[in-house]
Amino acid sequence: MPSLTAKPVHTQRRIMDRDDRRRNKNIGKNFMCRLQCMFSHSSGCESRLSLEDFQQWSQSLERLLESKYGLATFRSFLKSEYSDENIEFWLTCEDYKRIKSSFRMSSRAKKTYEQFIKAESPKEINIDHHTREQIKRNVTSPTVHCFDDAQRIVYGLMERDSYPRFLRSDVFRTLLENLSADAGKG
């Protein structure tokens, strides 16, 4: 009759480590496929993510956000960590700055305040009390610069915290490995 005892702990850990490596590799490959599909509507080979473009992401957060693939990858990474409020706020501010109509600006400022700035808001960002109060006053008669201070704070938080974590993530490493392997075949 077979033994009903469990496998030794070190064997279980080795199996779990192997399974984690396989899962992370599959996550990276699946993520690559999703990225390629997201942008497959673009024509031409310049729409494909290249190793050179990917390597630019590690130069700075600014370079990462300038890349359509970089931005999509970073957003997905932050969503997977349940910490996407900063990038969502930053993108909302970028859109807000392009508004020309004063009516739309006023409406969008109030919506942005309710969604990201107001204490206990659904996607409350981490800013100091002084900045929060300043924005609260600014929203009553908003300008294109209404959220600039908060956007700078959020960018700094992402640059110091989320971005380095992203560069160390399994998704980033797996994408690098896959692109390097593809470039080697190329």
Side-chain angles (χ1 to χ4, degrees), residues 45-59 63-64 67-70 172 179:
C45 52
E46 72 277 353
S47 67
R48 288 186 52 97
L49 176 61
S50 71
L51 178 60
E52 294 77 25
D53 291 337
F54 179 83
Q55 290 170 333
Q56 292 293 308
W57 299 358
S58 62
Q59 300 301 311
R63 291 253 175 104
L64 174 69
S67 161
K68 66 181 180 180
Y69 289 117
F172 184 86
L179 285 169

Side-chain angles (χ1 to χ4, degrees), residues 151-170:
Q151 189 181 19
R152 265 191 297 281
I153 291 168
V154 162
Y155 186 90
L157 290 171
M158 288 191 299
E159 193 171 42
R160 288 187 308 279
D161 181 45
S162 308
Y163 175 64
R165 230 177 28 252
F166 169 70
L167 295 178
R168 292 187 307 269
S169 72
D170 289 334

Side-chain angles (χ1 to χ4, degrees), residues 55-171:
Q55 290 170 333
Q56 292 293 308
W57 299 358
S58 62
Q59 300 301 311
S60 70
L61 177 59
E62 182 179 358
R63 291 253 175 104
L64 174 69
L65 298 178
E66 288 171 351
S67 161
K68 66 181 180 180
Y69 289 117
L71 177 58
T73 306
F74 190 54
R75 282 178 84 176
S76 292
F77 167 75
L78 293 174
K79 283 180 184 179
S80 76
E81 289 198 329
Y82 304 100
S83 63
D84 60 329
E85 66 281 347
N86 287 338
I87 190 66
E88 296 304 324
F89 174 72
W90 187 84
L91 289 168
T92 297
C93 289
E94 290 298 294
D95 288 342
Y96 176 82
K97 291 175 187 176
R98 290 189 280 275
I99 296 173
K100 302 293 182 214
S101 158
S102 60
F103 176 77
R104 276 194 68 220
M105 186 174 285
S106 179
S107 172
R108 185 72 61 88
K110 288 175 183 152
K111 183 177 178 181
T112 301
Y113 175 80
E114 291 292 323
Q115 191 173 18
F116 296 100
I117 306 298
K118 186 178 178 183
E120 307 292 324
S121 60
K123 294 184 176 184
E124 183 180 356
I125 56 170
N126 186 9
I127 56 174
D128 60 273
H129 177 73
H130 174 73
T131 304
R132 192 176 310 278
E133 289 301 312
Q134 184 65 40
I135 291 171
K136 186 177 180 178
R137 287 188 296 274
N138 289 346
V139 167
T140 59
S141 58
T143 68
V144 72
H145 302 290
C146 188
F147 299 102
D148 286 357
D149 290 342
Q151 189 181 19
R152 265 191 297 281
I153 291 168
V154 162
Y155 186 90
L157 290 171
M158 288 191 299
E159 193 171 42
R160 288 187 308 279
D161 181 45
S162 308
Y163 175 64
R165 230 177 28 252
F166 169 70
L167 295 178
R168 292 187 307 269
S169 72
D170 289 334
V171 168

